[in-house]
């Protein structure tokens, strides 16, 4: 089969940007396959020591654009503050700190501390004094610290102003001046922002040296013949949204786009568990396997492929009626490129897009650049889902009911005699069998909904932006279970719940206690005597954390860990009741 050669701009892979090998290893673990445009352009400049101004929309990957090169350049063996990142809010500061931690996962001597209001100052100060190399702070709280300890920032070599426009909107101008004055002049300063109002240019002129500018702007694009819709959703509800939308969308073949390898596996597993013929396509998949997947999609052995942009490059399958943007693309060009997979050969295509609250602005940019509104749709409720199920079943049965040559006439007679029942009784029994695992009453569908929801309430404070691998580094067994396919598929439950044989345990230590996933992991490995793959997902929250541990031998494990301390505090791990 010939494959279309596409004219996409060359993107240098991560390993050509001069990043430190430990950082590269961490990127692979997090599942990023290729740098986003702002990353491609900023990383070499920061690596070369330039000051810079980076302008790009929310959701374009600005955090890694500065975190990766800066981590590559710090002196990991010096235990002193070297990097200061300023972020507008506590949430953003925590997100950036967690991202730094995941990118520094292979740099055991590097520590990150988040400094923000609403938490005691003592532990924050102590973490800085203990030699954390990376400080991520909100300006207000940092100024409080400075008023007591003026020398706190005297060893800083890298300063990042993240989401600079937001910081100014929140009135942090004066605080920023105080912070600049408390910092050595010999430093590298980078500023990232979605917009560059004159106030920010003013700051740049005064405090940056000869800054290089990087701007990710968009040219107008045309999209035709494609019916587009978007749905607002929180990141932790994405799988739920995908499952429900697939029930009501009439598709032949679909390609779903996500950002990371892990997400291709997670989503494909969730769909497979519901009986869809689906495969994941990511950069780890060998070329011949990739071709097999594409061929299967062409001939209908597969109906859905969940892919990263890299893996989908060059994929051209006329059967595709739907493109599902499960994670936002980085820019409008890539959106247009993605949805161009459908509507081929003059056919109507449909494009769906999930938008998390922080990505609203990107949605607007896409609309502006394409000159088209992308209609908002709502999550289908139980009633709509039930109707769709009945419609599908009806469509499936219609030709069989009309089939005059049905070969089962004798079998019917035999069964009704054997079972001593009417044809209607038998029909009911057969219906029960074909609908097994899927509700066909309103009540039943409603009761299914909570099952569809991936993970429970422990999840509300998750990063709402679709990225994974921040706070949930750790065993990833659940996505890639070996027992794929088979007829039992429909009955399996959503795989994003717990992995088999694992239970969740909770500790009251979280981000605010200075705990990171690798601290927890280290403590449990060392003192619990477990192997690495016995430990499942680790979720670090603000005021608590959850760890998946093997159910077998849990009691004795917990008693081994009875006196374990993490970040100077008692771990006190307990089994966590799911509801
Ligand atoms: P911004 O700061 O521009 O708003 P973020 O840095 O918060 O964007 O990144 C948005 C999301 O994209 C995050 O979930 C992040 O993990 C993910 N992401 C960033 N860079 C990449 C990449 N190269 N590949 C895959 N996902 C990425
Ligand atoms: Mg950001």
């Amino acid at each position: 089969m010939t494959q279309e050669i596409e004219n996409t701009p060359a993107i240098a892979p991560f390993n050509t940007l001069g990043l430190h090998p430990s950082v590269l290893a961490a990127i692979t673990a997090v599942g990023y396959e290729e740098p986003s445009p702002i990353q491609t352009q900023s990383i070499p400049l920061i690596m070369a020591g330039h000051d810079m101004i980076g302008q790009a929309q929310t959701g374009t990957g600005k955090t890694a654009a500065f975190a990766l090169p800066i981590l590559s350049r710090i002196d990991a063996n010096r235990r002193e503050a070297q990097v200061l990142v300023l972020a507008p809010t506590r949430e953003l500061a925590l997100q950036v700190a967690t991202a730094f931690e995941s990118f520094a996962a292979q740099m055991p001597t590097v520590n990150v501390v988040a400094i923000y209001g609403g938490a005691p100052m003592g532990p924050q100060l102590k973490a800085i004094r203990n030699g954390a190399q990376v400080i991520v702070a909100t300006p207000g709280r940092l100024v409080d610290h400075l008023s007591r300890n003026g020398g706190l920032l005297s060893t800083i070599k890298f300063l990042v102003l993240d989401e600079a426009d937001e910081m100014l909107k929140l009135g942090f101008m004066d605080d920023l001046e105080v912070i600049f004055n408390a910092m050595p002049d010999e430093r590298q300063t980078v500023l990232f922002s979605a917009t560059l109002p004159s106030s920010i240019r003013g700051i740049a002129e005064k405090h940056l040296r000869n800054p290089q500018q990087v701007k990710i702007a968009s040219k107008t694009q045309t999209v035709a013949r494609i019916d587009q819709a978007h749905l607002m959703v929180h990141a932790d509800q994405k799988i739920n949204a995908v499952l429900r939308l697939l029930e009501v969308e009439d598709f032949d073949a679909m390609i779903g786009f996500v950002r990371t390898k892990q997400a291709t596996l997670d989503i494909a597993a969730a769909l497979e568990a519901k009986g869809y013929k689906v495969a994941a396509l990511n950069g780890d998949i060998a070329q011949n396997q990739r071709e097999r997947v594409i061929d299967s999609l062409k001939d209908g052995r597969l109906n859905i492929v969940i892919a990263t942009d890299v893996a989908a490059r060059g994929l051209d399958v006329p059967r595709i009626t739907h493109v599902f943007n499960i994670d936002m693309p980085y820019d409008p060009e890539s959106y247009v490129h993605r949805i161009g997979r459908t509507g081929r050969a003059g056919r109507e295509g449909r494009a769906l897009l999930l938008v998390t609250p922080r990505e609203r602005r990107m949605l607007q940019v896409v609309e502006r650049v394409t000159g088209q509104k992308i209609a908002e749709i709502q999550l289908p409720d139980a009633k709509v889902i039930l109707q769709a199920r009945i419609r599908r079943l009806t469509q499936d049965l219609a030709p069989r009911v009309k089939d005059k040559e049905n070969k089962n006439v004798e079998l019917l007679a035999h069964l009704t005699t054997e079972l001593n029942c009417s044809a209607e009784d038998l029909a009911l029994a057969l219906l029960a069998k074909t609908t097994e695992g899927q509700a066909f009453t309103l009540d039943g569908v409603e009761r299914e909904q909570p099952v569809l929801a991936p993970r429970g309430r422990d999840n509300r404070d998750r990063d709402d932006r679709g990225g994974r691998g921040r706070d949930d580094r750790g065993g990833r067994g659940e996505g890639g279970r070996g027992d794929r396919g088979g007829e039992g598929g429909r009955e399996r439950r959503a795989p994003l719940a717990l992995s088999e044989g694992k239970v969740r345990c909770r500790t009251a230590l979280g981000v605010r206690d200075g705990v990171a996933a690798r601290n927890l992991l280290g403590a449990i490995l060392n003192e619990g005597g477990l192997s690495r793959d016995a430990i499942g997902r680790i979720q670090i929250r603000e005021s608590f954390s959850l760890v998946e541990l093997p159910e077998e031998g849990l009691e004795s494990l917990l008693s081994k860990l009875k006196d374990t301390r993490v970040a100077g505090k008692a771990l006190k791990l307990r089994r966590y009741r799911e509801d």
Side-chain angles (χ1 to χ4, degrees):
M1 284 272 148
T2 57
Q3 257 166 28
E4 190 183 78
I5 310 287
E6 307 235 31
N7 227 346
T8 40
I11 296 176
F14 273 118
N15 64 12
T16 60
L17 299 174
L19 294 169
H20 192 279
S22 306
V23 172
L24 284 176
I27 297 171
T28 309
V30 170
Y32 292 3
E33 295 201 313
E34 62 173 4
S36 70
I38 186 82
Q39 291 162 7
T40 307
Q41 295 198 39
S42 307
I43 291 173
L45 292 175
I46 300 178
M47 288 304 293
H50 290 290
D51 280 10
M52 69 160 280
I53 302 173
Q55 187 184 358
Q57 276 308 315
T58 305
T60 50
K62 294 193 288 297
T63 315
F66 58 78
L68 302 176
I70 288 178
L71 278 175
S72 297
R73 297 194 60 213
I74 62 174
D75 184 345
N77 295 320
R78 275 181 97 96
R79 302 222 176 232
E80 62 187 20
Q82 297 174 46
V83 184
L84 172 64
V85 182
L86 295 174
T89 63
R90 180 175 115 147
E91 278 64 42
L92 288 170
L94 282 171
Q95 275 171 11
V96 170
T98 318
F100 258 99
E101 273 174 350
S102 63
F103 299 141
Q106 317 279 337
M107 307 172 90
T109 56
V110 172
N111 287 300
V112 181
V113 54
I115 305 288
Y116 50 82
M121 292 179 71
Q124 298 180 346
L125 186 61
K126 200 166 148 222
I128 300 178
R129 290 256 157 89
N130 283 347
Q133 290 90 342
V134 181
I135 303 176
V136 185
T138 54
R141 173 52 73 94
L142 185 61
V143 166
D144 290 347
H145 278 287
L146 283 173
S147 65
R148 299 183 198 181
N149 303 280
L152 216 51
L153 303 177
S154 62
T155 51
I156 295 288
K157 303 212 163 37
F158 303 90
L159 170 65
V160 181
L161 304 172
D162 190 22
E163 319 261 356
D165 50 357
E166 294 296 323
M167 283 202 279
L168 293 194
K169 270 191 215 152
L170 292 174
F172 282 133
M173 189 66 152
D174 294 344
D175 289 339
L176 290 184
E177 288 297 334
V178 173
I179 295 168
F180 280 124
N181 286 331
M183 200 114 54
D185 287 338
E186 264 317 300
R187 59 158 202 264
Q188 185 178 358
T189 308
V190 300
L191 180 158
F192 282 85
S193 197
T195 58
L196 285 188
S198 60
S199 51
I200 292 190
R201 293 184 189 279
I203 290 185
E205 237 156 71
K206 199 158 153 208
H207 297 287
L208 273 64
R209 284 168 318 180
N210 211 353
Q212 309 283 307
Q213 277 222 42
V214 168
K215 181 173 180 182
I216 306 299
S218 300
K219 304 182 282 305
T220 312
Q221 304 272 322
T222 41
V223 232
R225 281 190 281 94
I226 296 171
D227 173 24
Q228 302 170 64
H230 82 272
L231 181 94
M232 298 297 309
V233 65
H234 281 274
D236 61 351
Q237 285 299 316
K238 274 192 182 182
I239 292 194
N240 185 18
V242 170
L243 288 172
R244 288 216 234 164
L245 281 174
L246 290 199
E247 293 240 18
V248 300
E249 289 287 333
D250 234 340
F251 64 94
D252 250 353
M254 169 181 297
I255 176 160
F257 283 99
V258 294
R259 285 194 173 182
T260 63
K261 293 173 203 168
Q262 190 59 41
T264 64
L265 300 176
D266 287 347
I267 306 254
L271 295 182
E272 188 166 50
K274 291 285 168 189
Y276 289 104
K277 293 191 279 179
V278 55
L281 208 56
N282 63 50
D284 283 351
I285 288 167
Q287 185 58 24
N288 55 352
Q289 171 64 15
R290 186 190 123 97
E291 273 156 25
R292 267 204 297 281
V293 168
I294 295 175
D295 285 344
S296 304
L297 189 64
K298 282 183 178 152
D299 65 26
R301 275 173 296 159
L302 286 176
N303 293 327
I304 306 177
V305 166
I306 306 294
T308 55
D309 290 288
V310 185
R313 206 154 280 160
L315 185 155
D316 180 22
V317 175
R319 256 189 86 223
I320 294 177
T321 51
H322 281 60
V323 169
F324 199 153
N325 296 281
I326 299 169
D327 288 338
M328 263 281 185
Y330 294 116
D331 47 35
E333 286 82 1
S334 132
Y335 175 80
V336 171
H337 196 244
R338 283 180 178 186
I339 71 173
R341 309 292 174 174
T342 184
R344 292 278 164 112
R347 287 207 260 167
E348 277 263 327
R350 179 147 163 97
L352 301 170
L353 172 65
L354 297 185
V355 182
T356 62
R358 280 195 79 229
E359 294 167 339
R360 265 177 222 271
R361 281 217 296 220
M362 179 60 105
L363 172 67
Q364 287 161 8
V365 174
V366 171
E367 289 182 329
R368 199 180 61 233
V369 166
T370 58
Q372 287 185 24
K373 270 269 165 223
I374 302 178
E376 177 162 12
I377 53 171
Q378 303 298 324
L379 207 54
D381 59 15
K383 198 169 143 206
V384 176
I385 289 179
L386 176 62
Q387 282 167 351
R389 284 184 188 176
I390 293 175
R391 193 178 61 234
R392 266 198 313 274
L393 187 60
T394 313
Q395 279 167 0
D396 188 32
L397 291 176
R400 298 175 208 260
V401 168
K402 291 206 189 84
D403 181 6
K404 293 282 174 272
E405 267 132 64
N406 195 315
K407 294 179 201 73
N408 293 317
V409 178
E410 269 172 43
L411 185 58
L412 174 68
H414 173 77
L415 286 175
T416 44
T417 317
E418 187 73 11
L419 297 167
N420 191 19
C421 68
S422 66
E424 186 181 340
D425 289 338
L426 188 65
L428 283 172
L430 289 172
L431 272 182
K433 188 168 148 67
T434 43
T435 62
E436 215 164 54
Q438 236 190 8
F440 273 81
T441 61
L442 202 51
D443 246 22
V445 178
E446 253 153 23
R447 262 183 283 118
E448 262 180 15
Q449 299 308 329
V451 177
L452 294 182
R455 308 191 199 126
R457 52 174 186 184
D458 56 332
N459 217 21
R460 259 178 304 205
D461 51 349
R462 269 176 78 83
D463 163 21
D464 64 2
R465 286 176 303 159
R468 304 204 38 197
R470 292 217 159 161
D471 51 1
D472 56 358
R473 229 175 308 127
R476 292 241 149 114
E478 40 182 41
R481 268 197 263 140
D483 58 339
R484 312 223 130 182
E487 299 198 335
R490 279 208 165 269
E491 274 132 25
R492 251 185 278 143
R493 282 292 163 234
L496 271 180
L498 276 165
S499 324
E500 237 165 75
K502 294 242 170 27
V503 294
R504 248 189 281 273
C505 293
R506 181 183 192 278
T507 161
L509 302 184
V511 174
R512 65 161 185 215
D513 305 289
V515 168
R518 70 194 138 110
N519 309 135
L520 273 187
L521 187 62
I524 298 171
L525 286 176
N526 291 338
E527 307 199 17
L530 288 182
S531 72
R532 177 64 193 82
D533 52 15
I535 304 177
R537 183 198 310 272
I538 298 180
Q539 296 160 277
I540 310 284
R541 298 287 173 256
E542 172 67 314
S543 60
F544 66 96
S545 303
L546 300 172
V547 187
E548 289 179 12
L549 294 171
E551 180 157 34
E552 200 180 327
L554 185 69
E555 300 252 287
S556 84
L557 174 65
L558 293 185
S559 83
K560 268 192 222 158
L561 296 172
K562 195 162 42 71
D563 299 314
T564 302
R565 299 174 76 79
V566 176
K569 296 186 179 165
L571 178 62
K572 290 206 191 122
L573 215 49
R574 299 262 181 281
R575 180 159 183 176
Y576 178 67
R577 299 285 155 195
E578 299 292 323
D579 39 40

